[in-house]
Amino acid sequence: TNNSVKTTYYYQKAFISFTFRSYDGTKENIGKYLACIGNTWANLFINHAFHAFYIGLISFWLARKSKDGQHWIEKGKSSKLALKKWAESSSWTFENKWFLLEAEVSFCNNNYDAAKTYYDKAISSAKDHKFINEEALACELAAYFHLELGQKDKALELFLLAHEKYHEWGAFGKCTSLYEFVVSNFSSPIGTGLTDTDNMRQEIAFPNLEVGLLSSLDDALRRHTDMASDPVG
């Protein structure tokens, strides 16, 4: 249905905006996704699982940055509860995701000791279960946590590890974005793994990946809308 297409469209736009830390785009598209999801029933279970994971992460991030923080915390808690149930049935697939949501909600609640513990657990679990992309994500979010607390050495260590894992996964556009963030926020990243020539040669081909991905989604939705409105001859 058109509503199912829109649900997928807004989720993907929110996911891309979150990945590249675009606050306005994330908040706009997650609101539209949530408005659609209540009327969409024909989603695969695995979509529900991964949607819940990223909706939780997005919600806790928005909670820390927006004025309506409590609203977003409640959204995030719903996702965390779902992931906990799934982790109980399949720890291999969902344990690291639940740990990361626990870390993020602990961060929101200023429970920094618990947050640190759960970030470490999320990183270890993702590594043990071979989810390279989610190991990278857990390292990145843990790095933002330590940076917020003023622990720049630990933050840089985690950003470097996140960069390494994103690169191993093949997410070169994300590597570029993360590199630019570190260069702008740390006084001397020279000499770290982020300046590796071979890595940057691959990354430089993806200077505006976020814009390109969002544009592709817009084009896909337009094509679907045109096909739906054009009567079959």
Side-chain angles (χ1 to χ4, degrees):
T1 66
N2 283 339
N3 199 64
S4 294
V5 171
K6 287 182 178 179
T7 299
T8 301
Y9 168 74
Y10 289 128
Y11 169 78
Q12 292 295 337
K13 292 197 78 170
F15 170 79
I16 291 167
S17 295
F18 174 72
T19 297
F20 289 96
R21 310 298 284 182
S22 172
Y23 172 79
D24 291 336
T26 302
K27 188 171 186 180
E28 176 186 356
N29 287 293
I30 203 62
K32 292 177 178 178
Y33 166 85
L34 292 171
C36 289
I37 193 63
N39 298 318
T40 303
W41 60 270
N43 283 315
L44 295 174
F45 165 78
I46 197 66
N47 283 346
H48 282 299
F50 284 99
H51 284 203
F53 176 48
Y54 279 99
I55 297 311
L57 293 179
I58 288 170
S59 295
F60 291 135
W61 184 48
L62 294 179
R64 294 195 296 273
K65 294 179 68 69
S66 64
K67 295 179 180 179
D68 49 346
Q70 194 57 42
H71 164 76
W72 290 110
I73 285 178
E74 293 306 315
K75 291 286 186 187
K77 285 181 177 179
S78 296
S79 292
K80 184 171 70 73
L81 179 61
L83 264 296
K84 182 179 181 180
K85 292 178 180 178
W86 287 323
E88 290 170 351
S89 64
S90 177
S91 60
W92 184 279
T93 303
F94 298 111
E95 180 186 76
N96 70 295
K97 300 171 180 63
W98 175 59
F99 284 153
L100 192 53
L101 289 177
E102 285 286 3
E104 287 286 288
V105 72
S106 297
F107 187 7
C108 287
N109 293 331
N110 300 324
N111 189 347
Y112 299 140
D113 288 340
K116 182 183 182 303
T117 297
Y118 278 115
Y119 282 123
D120 290 345
K121 286 184 175 183
I123 293 167
S124 296
S125 179
K127 181 178 182 179
D128 291 344
H129 298 151
K130 316 302 181 186
F131 293 109
I132 296 173
N133 57 320
E134 291 171 8
E135 183 183 355
L137 176 61
C139 288
E140 181 187 2
L141 296 186
Y144 291 126
F145 164 73
H146 285 283
L147 187 61
E148 182 73 17
L149 298 187
Q151 300 167 352
K152 297 191 74 171
D153 288 344
K154 183 62 176 179
L156 181 57
E157 174 189 331
L158 287 162
F159 278 129
L160 292 175
L161 183 55
H163 183 277
E164 175 187 333
K165 293 301 174 180
Y166 279 127
H167 195 274
E168 183 179 346
W169 188 45
F172 302 126
K174 176 61 180 180
C175 287
T176 300
S177 175
L178 197 58
Y179 172 83
E180 291 171 350
F181 176 85
V182 170
V183 167
S184 65
N185 284 273
F186 291 84
S187 58
S188 182
I190 303 302
T192 70
L194 286 178
T195 58
D196 183 89
T197 305
D198 291 336
N199 290 0
M200 290 308 298
R201 187 157 46 239
Q202 290 176 290
E203 291 156 26
I204 203 67
F206 301 88
N208 296 303
L209 185 59
E210 178 187 5
V211 174
L213 288 171
L214 292 174
S215 178
S216 295
L217 282 171
D218 291 340
D219 290 343
L221 182 64
R222 267 194 299 273
R223 287 196 300 272
H224 174 83
T225 303
D226 290 344
M227 289 174 63
S229 62
D230 185 25
V232 178

